[in-house]
Amino acid sequence: MPDAVLEVTDIRKRFGATVALDGVSLAVEAGEVFGLLGPNGAGKTTLLSIVAGLTRADGGTVKLFGKSFTHDDREMRHLIGIGTQDLSIYPDLTASENLRFFGRLYGLRGKLLESRVGEMLAAVGLTDRANARAGTFSGGMKRRLNLAVAVVHAPKLLILDEPTTGVDPQSRNHIFEQVQALNAAGLSVIYTSHYMEEVQTLCKRIAILDNGLLRACDTLPNLLSRLETTIRVTVTNAPAGFAEQLVAIPGVKRAQTKAGTFELVVEGIGPVLARVASECAATGAGLASATTTEPTLERVFLHLTGRGLRD
């Protein structure tokens, strides 16, 4: 993929008898926000650790901006920013000191470092708390500072692992806006979260991992198309052949009936439901109730990974 910032091919990793990753391959395109989903233990953190150069893979290859990237390539790590699920900030340091510390780790010095510190404090809304210790911050403020230290060195690829865990709605919205702004400025992002609506809002494409395997990797519309949209209507006094009349409605793929209830698999809810009401009125049948079920990312996720509890 010529425009890929990241290419992962046949990545495998075991921890003793546990297979963490079993031949995972995917690519992140330049300038996109790429969603990574999976239940607990699916292999997400292991994959991200390998991608970030923090863990060695047992097999497979990682390419970063078209070049081979391994655990030993410390220079290329500067191209990556990591916003970890467990906060990386130091509570005894001020917001500014945290940013200076992480900036120096990536080689920033002098005026450039101070400029980046000021820019990041402003970006995450912490300028007025620049000299306050991070340990005194609210959960949302800590998360915002955690994002700032991940990008203080101006990386080309940002990995965000559960960046809104435990934050208030205002901070969550601010983090959303910052991720979108960073992406609009050209930063490619890998975004992992258990909050499906976040991924659905932010991400162009989404990968779903489970038990170390890649279950799906596609755009949201294509993922949603894996499930069907249904309308369930309860009808009184339905005439003979009423199911056949419903199937003849444009947009209805098929219909099943049981004891006065008709379940329709449809392509669009609104027009079909209006026609069902018209058919009832025309035949003297009574439309007692109607419920609809549309595909969602959460339903697709559960369809692919199951409903069993994960520890």
Side-chain angles (χ1 to χ4, degrees), residues 87-162:
L87 293 170
S88 299
I89 57 177
Y90 291 92
D92 291 333
L93 299 182
T94 67
S96 292
E97 288 169 343
N98 267 286
L99 286 163
R100 290 191 188 98
F101 174 77
F102 283 98
R104 290 190 185 104
L105 287 181
Y106 284 100
L108 300 184
R109 298 288 187 275
K111 291 183 179 180
L112 176 58
L113 175 60
E114 292 306 311
S115 175
R116 288 297 294 170
V117 168
E119 288 174 16
M120 291 301 96
L121 288 170
V124 297
L126 291 175
T127 300
D128 60 340
R129 301 299 299 275
N131 297 317
R133 288 193 306 111
T136 67
F137 288 178
S138 67
M141 293 165 66
K142 290 176 181 177
R143 281 288 165 193
R144 281 149 46 199
L145 181 57
N146 203 54
L147 173 61
V149 301
V151 295
V152 66
H153 61 296
K156 302 297 183 183
L157 174 64
L158 175 61
I159 298 172
L160 291 177
D161 189 5
E162 303 286 350

Side-chain angles (χ1 to χ4, degrees), residues 12 14 33 35 63 71 75 95 140 149 175 226 284:
R12 286 168 276 114
R14 297 177 67 99
V33 182
K63 284 187 177 180
H71 174 272
E75 191 62 32
V149 301
I175 290 170
R226 292 173 176 241

Side-chain angles (χ1 to χ4, degrees), residues 18 34 44 108 164 191 239 248 304:
T18 301
F34 182 89
K44 302 189 303 298
L108 300 184
T164 62
Y191 193 97
L304 292 172

